[in-house]
Amino acid sequence: MRGASMRSDTIKRGFARAPHRSLLRATGQIQDDSDFQKPFVAICNSYIDIIPGHVHLHEFAKIVKDAVRAAGGIPFEFNTIGVDDGIVMGHEGMRYSLPSRELIADCVETVAAAHCFDAMICIPNCDKIVPGMLMGAARVNIPTVFVSGGPMQAGRDKDGNKVDLISVFEGVGQHASGRISDERLLDLERNGCPTCGSCSGMFTANSMNCLCEALGIALPYNGSLLATDPARHELARTAATKVLELLRQNISFSDIVTPESIDNAMALDVAMGGSTNTVLHVLALAREAGLAYPISRFNEVAARVPHLAKVSPAWDGDRQWHMEDVHRAGGVPAIMAELAKKPDALHLNVPTVTGQTLGEQLQGIANENPECIRPIENPHSAQGGLCILFGNLAPEGSVIKVGAVDQHQMTFSGPARCFPSEEAATYAARSGEIQAGDVVVVRYEGPRGGPGMREMLALTSLLKGMPLGEQVALLTDGRFSGGTRGLCIGHISPEAAEGGPIGLIENGDIIHIDLANRLLAVELSEAQFAERRAGWQAPERKHQRGWLARYTRLVTNASNGAVLEA
């Protein structure tokens, strides 16, 4: 690329940039004067010690940087923050999880735009880090490749049975109800998370890393190749060569991420029963990319895409698959290749960072385990594992991981049991105040009301670990972890804090859930709603200063991706 015009020329070319070049020399990344003639590549890393999915990324980034230099670029590494959803689960720390996505997006935009980088490699892995980087990359819109740190192995308890983080969370509920001993809970604790990497099931982190493949912004097997597999190092090296190829061909982020590629990502998501959080993040990504992608489009995709893989936290009969099983079966390419056999399930002519179209990329891909990844002619269900519910309780939509719901729960009706917070609902569950047949409503936990739209894995796992777990439904304007299973409906919009219907229902109101018809409704007339709305007052903001106070003032509801208003 010597002599070609580059974005980075802004900070390195011409006599007036002598001070800039002096500072660049001081970084140590400029090893020869000829380096000023090469493209500058941002290495956006998310290494942080507190997140097990990220503890290895410091060394992983060195492999990427060396490969970028070998391919003819000059690498400059920078870091983002990160929040571990599992560690902050069930306490005030969870209020910072979703807001951290916005900070990460701002960091990516700030560093990459301010320093005029020519291209970028993003190294995310867990929770909000993947979507935050995607959102930032959409704003900067330069040639970009994502290469994640990879999933962890599934654990094994002392008897050799597979376990994971959700086993530990549900173990807390089992222990609270006296169903398991202290020793069993300790066994789960010690073995649920055996290695570095993103937690081993189809939770939010792995869902998003798999979706990056389907978006075309990451290489094949990015989502399933284990963090501890040496082959991931080769994936990193390939990512370095591909990003420079994209730069030579002038292919930017927006050339790859389009409404059609988002359709493909959601097709994968519903085919493998991904996290409900992906809906929130895809809406945010589309908004940052300036793409029209309404929440109703998710149901259109799910209607034409069958459910092919049930990965933890879902159960496939009496067994549970994890990411290592999906990888051995052929990974995301094998799922996509099955979907490609059905007309109109995928857009096959979209470009990817491999340099091939998606259709070309899937040629010759085989499904190595038709029990783990069902063939297209033998799906778990004809429609995908996620769906959007509408109705007078969720006029702007709500989300459920229908692939992790047992068949007998596809319809449910019961009286509302309303709680103003996750803590109040958790206390009621532990105190025996929740009865079989109840519809547990946890409100004022949305993006604005929480603030931060906390995940409720502690509550859902507690209920699942108790005998009545299969006999109650749970609704919230907050979020659920990708590890949630059962009749749990989140992202209800409008949220309670903005006067949404979920904030107006009362104990005893009868709520109806009909998953087949995508319906979430309460037995209230418009006149009753109007009467209650007249007496409703917006709650006082929980934070009056600091980041969460600013977030509360600026954030949109879940149906708009919970992004910040410009």
Side-chain angles (χ1 to χ4, degrees), residues 263 279 283 286 291-300 388 390 559:
D263 280 348
V279 175
L283 289 170
L291 302 174
Y293 203 92
I295 192 171
S296 58
R297 190 159 171 168
F298 291 94
N299 279 346
E300 295 172 14
I388 311 299
F390 295 94
S559 67

Side-chain angles (χ1 to χ4, degrees), residues 73-159:
I74 307 302
F76 292 87
E77 182 181 358
F78 70 96
N79 270 80
T80 68
I81 65 164
V83 171
D84 187 293
D85 280 22
I87 294 174
V88 304
M89 193 76 65
H91 59 86
E92 285 296 297
M94 178 50 83
R95 299 196 190 281
Y96 288 89
S97 173
L98 184 59
S100 76
R101 186 190 69 180
E102 311 308 306
L103 295 176
I104 291 163
D106 289 348
C107 286
V108 175
E109 177 192 5
T110 299
V111 176
H115 299 97
C116 305
F117 281 110
D118 300 298
M120 181 163 59
I121 293 177
C122 290
I123 309 175
N125 214 26
C126 292
D127 300 310
K128 308 309 162 292
I129 293 96
V130 187
M133 287 189 182
L134 284 168
M135 292 161 65
R139 297 177 192 172
V140 179
N141 195 28
I142 57 178
T144 303
V145 175
F146 274 62
V147 57
S148 76
M152 70 167 61
Q153 297 174 14
R156 297 276 178 177
D157 65 14
K158 63 182 180 61
D159 297 321

Side-chain angles (χ1 to χ4, degrees), residues 14 17-18 65 118 137 141 146 182 279 303 363 381 398 423 434 450 452 479-480 540 561:
R17 295 300 187 243
K65 291 168 68 177
D118 300 298
N141 195 28
F146 274 62
D182 292 347
V279 175
Q363 292 298 313
S381 61
S398 59
E423 288 84 357
I434 294 174
R479 293 185 299 130
F480 297 119
E540 183 179 353

Side-chain angles (χ1 to χ4, degrees), residues 329-566:
V332 168
I335 299 173
M336 300 290 279
E338 289 290 351
L339 292 180
K341 297 174 184 177
K342 182 178 180 182
D344 301 323
L346 297 174
H347 303 283
L348 296 174
N349 61 343
V350 297
T352 73
V353 295
T354 65
Q356 298 178 304
T357 65
L358 177 62
E360 291 168 340
Q361 194 176 291
L362 296 178
Q363 292 298 313
I365 298 295
N367 180 355
E368 302 293 345
N369 186 347
E371 293 187 327
C372 179
I373 300 172
R374 292 278 189 96
I376 195 72
E377 62 272 10
N378 183 35
H380 289 288
S381 61
Q383 295 187 337
L386 290 178
C387 70
I388 311 299
L389 308 182
F390 295 94
N392 68 350
L393 190 47
E396 295 179 14
S398 59
V399 184
I400 184 169
K401 190 171 187 173
V402 68
V405 176
D406 291 337
Q407 190 60 38
H408 72 276
Q409 292 182 294
M410 297 299 283
T411 59
F412 193 99
S413 296
R417 291 276 286 118
C418 301
F419 300 95
S421 67
E422 178 188 10
E423 288 84 357
T426 301
Y427 178 82
R430 287 178 173 160
S431 303
E433 297 174 28
I434 294 174
Q435 305 298 316
D438 283 347
V439 178
V440 180
V441 178
V442 184
R443 56 196 180 189
Y444 295 101
E445 289 286 7
R448 184 185 303 175
M453 206 178 180
R454 292 188 293 176
E455 289 184 356
M456 299 182 191
L457 182 57
L459 173 59
T460 59
S461 298
L462 175 67
L463 290 172
K464 285 298 170 188
M466 301 173 74
L468 57 74
E470 301 297 324
Q471 302 171 63
V472 297
L474 178 57
L475 313 182
T476 183
D477 52 7
R479 293 185 299 130
F480 297 119
S481 163
T484 295
R485 61 189 177 92
L487 200 52
C488 299
I489 301 169
H491 305 199
I492 293 176
S493 299
E495 63 171 295
E498 60 180 329
I502 189 173
L504 304 177
I505 59 177
E506 299 175 355
N507 286 335
D509 288 344
I510 302 301
I511 294 173
H512 299 289
I513 302 165
D514 185 343
L515 300 186
N517 290 304
R518 309 298 191 241
L519 178 69
L520 177 61
V522 59
E523 288 186 8
L524 288 176
S525 67
E526 283 302 316
Q528 289 173 303
F529 267 129
E531 181 180 353
R532 294 183 185 183
R533 190 172 288 111
W536 178 83
Q537 289 186 329
E540 183 179 353
R541 291 173 179 165
K542 296 173 183 174
H543 295 263
Q544 301 300 320
R545 58 189 296 272
W547 163 227
L548 291 183
R550 296 196 303 276
Y551 183 84
T552 302
R553 290 196 301 271
L554 297 173
V555 71
T556 64
N557 67 30
S559 67
N560 289 292
V563 298
L564 301 186
E565 295 280 13

Side-chain angles (χ1 to χ4, degrees), residues 90-381:
H91 59 86
E92 285 296 297
M94 178 50 83
R95 299 196 190 281
Y96 288 89
S97 173
L98 184 59
S100 76
R101 186 190 69 180
E102 311 308 306
L103 295 176
I104 291 163
D106 289 348
C107 286
V108 175
E109 177 192 5
T110 299
V111 176
H115 299 97
C116 305
F117 281 110
D118 300 298
M120 181 163 59
I121 293 177
C122 290
I123 309 175
N125 214 26
C126 292
D127 300 310
K128 308 309 162 292
I129 293 96
V130 187
M133 287 189 182
L134 284 168
M135 292 161 65
R139 297 177 192 172
V140 179
N141 195 28
I142 57 178
T144 303
V145 175
F146 274 62
V147 57
S148 76
M152 70 167 61
Q153 297 174 14
R156 297 276 178 177
D157 65 14
K158 63 182 180 61
D159 297 321
N161 300 309
K162 283 202 299 186
V163 292
D164 56 34
L165 178 64
I166 306 309
S167 308
V168 190
F169 270 104
E170 293 188 358
V172 172
Q174 293 165 347
H175 184 272
S177 61
R179 297 168 67 190
I180 64 171
S181 65
D182 292 347
E183 292 74 20
R184 172 58 178 167
L185 184 59
L186 183 60
D187 181 23
L188 293 173
E189 174 191 328
R190 286 176 169 168
N191 295 299
C193 300
T195 70
C196 66
S198 46
C199 295
S200 56
M202 189 45 59
F203 317 141
T204 303
N206 290 330
S207 297
M208 289 303 303
N209 286 323
C210 289
L211 261 62
C212 284
E213 287 188 51
L215 275 171
I217 205 70
L219 296 168
Y221 310 108
N222 174 72
S224 62
L225 185 61
L226 290 182
T228 51
D229 192 324
R232 185 158 282 275
H233 293 177
E234 188 56 38
L235 195 71
R237 296 185 186 98
T238 303
T241 61
K242 291 298 181 184
V243 80
L244 289 170
E245 289 178 12
L246 293 174
L247 180 59
R248 281 190 288 270
Q249 297 170 28
N250 195 29
I251 298 174
S252 65
F253 186 91
S254 63
D255 295 316
I256 302 289
V257 178
T258 64
E260 290 73 26
S261 71
I262 292 177
D263 280 348
N264 288 342
M266 295 316 302
L268 172 69
D269 201 21
V270 299
M272 63 192 311
S275 165
T276 53
N277 284 316
T278 56
V279 175
L280 190 73
H281 300 324
V282 165
L283 289 170
L285 169 60
R287 183 156 174 166
E288 295 291 2
L291 302 174
Y293 203 92
I295 192 171
S296 58
R297 190 159 171 168
F298 291 94
N299 279 346
E300 295 172 14
V301 173
R304 62 178 183 259
V305 174
H307 187 191
L308 301 183
K310 286 195 172 187
V311 186
S312 175
W315 284 82
D316 184 4
D318 60 354
R319 60 190 171 189
Q320 210 169 32
W321 305 106
H322 291 82
M323 291 310 300
E324 60 200 56
D325 303 307
V326 173
H327 186 70
R328 283 192 290 264
V332 168
I335 299 173
M336 300 290 279
E338 289 290 351
L339 292 180
K341 297 174 184 177
K342 182 178 180 182
D344 301 323
L346 297 174
H347 303 283
L348 296 174
N349 61 343
V350 297
T352 73
V353 295
T354 65
Q356 298 178 304
T357 65
L358 177 62
E360 291 168 340
Q361 194 176 291
L362 296 178
Q363 292 298 313
I365 298 295
N367 180 355
E368 302 293 345
N369 186 347
E371 293 187 327
C372 179
I373 300 172
R374 292 278 189 96
I376 195 72
E377 62 272 10
N378 183 35
H380 289 288
S381 61

